[in-house]
Structure formats: C-alpha cells, structure tokens
C-alpha cells in the first residue's frame, strides 16, 4: 500500500526547514550506502549527527506523533531518525532496496524496516526529474509531491529516484518499524480505522454498532501487534 499524506509540514515549517538547510554542508551520499547501492547512488546527504539534522528531524517526529492519519497508516513502533538529502546536477539514485534491518544510531537497538517515507521540501514545479519511482504490486508508481507532502510506502519495494535535470530536489526520508509487520493486515486495519473515523461524526458516540466496530478495531490491532 502506498499512502500520500498532504501538508505534514505547513508552509511556514517548510520555509524554516529550507532556510536551515541552505546553511549546511552537504556530503557525498555514497558514504551511507551499502555495497550494491553505492554503485547507483548519486546524491548529497546531510550528516545525520549534525545539529540541523537532529533539530529538524526531532521537529518532524513530534509532528508525526500527533498526526492521526500517519499514526493510523503506519502504526509506528520505532522510527529511524529522519535524514535529509539533496539531488541536483543530474543527481539520481538507481533501483535499489533498503536494508531490512537497521541499527538505531547511538543505541544497541535495531529496527525492522517495514515502511519508508519521503517528505518533499520543494514544490514539484521547481525542478525537473527527481520522481520517486516505486515498484508496487500494480507496476511502477511515480511520485512527485509538493513541499510539505509525504509518501509512505513498503520498504520491501524496489525503488529509485530519477535524475534531477533542472533545479534541486530537497527531501527528508526515514524508516519505520510498524506494530503490525504484515503489510496486508496493516492495510486492512487502516481501512477499518478510516471507516470508523468517517462514520463517527454522523452517529451518536453511544451507538452500539459504532462501539462494536471500535471494539473490533482495537482487538484486531491487539492480535496483529502481538505477532
Ligand atoms: Ni531507498
């Protein structure tokens, strides 16, 4: 399942992010790529331990923690600290898969990579190319969003970033371990939760059918999260 979540960051926040990212020193992205990915990765990345990366990353994580749609779609257990990248001058990232397990920086803990997220920090019209191409079950999905918008997709999918042939593409990306590792179960829970949220305003909070549906959702989540 692929989810687009619009306006995770508002216009003011996007401006603040961009202003801070204009001050930083970018590094060659191959430094953090695995052996295979290194051959296809042509981009710039921000040092994940830098003050800017930590401050902006934490701001985004706080925002996501209160974002009902994100929480419902991802059911996050752990989130890898967000990273920032920049593509320009033909920069691109050829087809690759993300690692299945990652170490959480600064800890002995690791994260099973269930979902990947990319939040765009430039409007689609401001640069040419730079589409995120994801090989999903229904063929290749091409994603290019406006600033502040985010896509959430299965980390198991093969994906690439097309060459940026004009302007620059600035983005934040991160990985999520979900409470529900099974993608189909997570998609069903998301649909059920969304339906409940859409029905609720039209019904009494005491409506027995609504209560039962909510009960079913939480008990399904309890079962799915336990495995
Ligand atoms: Ni990737």
């Amino acid at each position: 399942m692929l989810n687009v979540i619009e306006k995770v960051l508002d216009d003011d926040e996007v401006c603040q992010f961009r202003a801070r990212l204009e001050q930083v020193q970018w590094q060659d992205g191959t430094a953090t790529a695995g052996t295979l990915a290194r051959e296809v990765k042509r981009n710039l990345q921000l040092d994940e331990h830098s003050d800017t990366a930590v401050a902006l990353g934490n701001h985004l994580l706080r925002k996501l923690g209160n974002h009902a749609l994100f929480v419902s779609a991802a059911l996050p257990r752990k989130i890898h600290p967000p990273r920032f990248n920049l593509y320009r001058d033909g920069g691109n990232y050829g087809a690759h898969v993300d690692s299945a397990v990652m170490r959480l920086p600064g800890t002995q803990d690791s994260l099973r990579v269930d979902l990947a997220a990319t939040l765009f920090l430039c409007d689609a019209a401001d640069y040419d190319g730079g589409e995120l191409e994801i090989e999903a079950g229904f063929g290749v999905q091409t994603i290019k969003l406006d600033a502040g918008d985010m896509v959430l997709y299965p980390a198991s999918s093969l994906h690439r970033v097309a060459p940026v042939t004009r302007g620059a593409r600035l983005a934040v990306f991160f990985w999520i371990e979900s409470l529900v590792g099974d993608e189909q179960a997570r998609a069903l829970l998301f649909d059920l939760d969304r339906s409940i949220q859409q029905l609720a305003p039209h019904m009494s909070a005491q409506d027995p059918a609504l209560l039962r549906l909510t009960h079913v959702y939480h008990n399904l989540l309890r079962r799915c999260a336990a495995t």
Side-chain angles (χ1 to χ4, degrees):
M1 190 174 59
L2 211 139
N3 288 112
V4 170
I5 305 178
E6 293 179 351
K7 292 285 166 209
V8 171
L9 293 180
D10 63 30
D11 293 348
D12 282 349
E13 290 169 312
V14 168
C15 282
Q16 286 167 23
F17 271 53
R18 290 179 57 153
R20 283 201 67 169
L21 291 168
E22 270 169 26
Q23 319 280 328
V24 302
Q25 248 182 334
W26 293 93
Q27 301 177 335
D28 186 339
T30 50
T32 56
T35 320
L36 280 175
R38 195 169 297 147
E39 291 178 24
V40 294
K41 191 175 182 186
R42 302 273 174 273
N43 69 358
L44 296 168
Q45 219 160 272
L46 180 57
D47 174 3
E48 64 184 60
H49 304 295
S50 69
D51 291 347
T52 299
V54 172
L56 298 183
N58 284 340
H59 179 96
L60 177 59
L61 291 176
R62 278 195 299 276
K63 200 88 204 257
L64 289 168
N66 295 315
H67 196 295
L69 190 59
F70 168 75
V71 172
S72 176
L75 296 168
R77 173 180 277 144
K78 300 176 192 171
I79 302 182
H80 191 284
R83 288 179 173 174
F84 297 81
N85 61 15
L86 174 66
Y87 292 80
R88 63 183 178 206
D89 305 323
N92 68 92
Y93 198 160
H96 67 281
V97 277
D98 296 340
S99 301
V101 177
M102 290 184 196
R103 174 66 61 85
L104 281 168
T107 75
Q108 295 301 314
D109 198 10
S110 61
L111 161 130
R112 183 190 65 224
V113 181
D114 295 320
L115 289 159
T118 297
L119 187 148
F120 291 74
L121 289 170
C122 297
D123 281 330
D126 292 347
Y127 59 98
D128 289 338
E131 295 86 358
L132 174 61
E133 296 170 349
I134 302 165
E135 284 192 20
F138 300 101
V140 177
Q141 306 277 316
T142 300
I143 307 288
K144 188 172 179 178
L145 304 174
D146 280 330
D149 298 348
M150 186 174 90
V151 62
L152 204 56
Y153 61 97
S156 55
S157 57
L158 201 62
H159 54 275
R160 66 184 81 84
V161 176
V164 171
T165 53
R166 175 185 65 88
R169 175 198 195 267
L170 193 57
V172 196
F173 63 102
F174 55 94
W175 298 279
I176 299 153
E177 177 178 320
S178 178
L179 288 165
V180 178
D182 182 77
E183 192 190 328
Q184 289 180 337
R186 196 185 320 118
L188 288 170
L189 283 163
F190 179 57
D191 279 345
L192 179 56
D193 188 37
R194 276 211 307 183
S195 298
I196 294 170
Q197 300 308 324
Q198 283 167 9
L199 286 171
H202 307 289
M203 301 170 84
S204 152
Q206 302 302 318
D207 187 292
L210 184 63
L211 277 175
R212 202 177 311 118
L213 266 182
T214 309
H215 188 213
V216 166
Y217 172 78
H218 285 287
N219 283 321
L220 277 178
L221 175 56
R222 203 184 323 275
R223 287 181 79 116
C224 295
T227 56

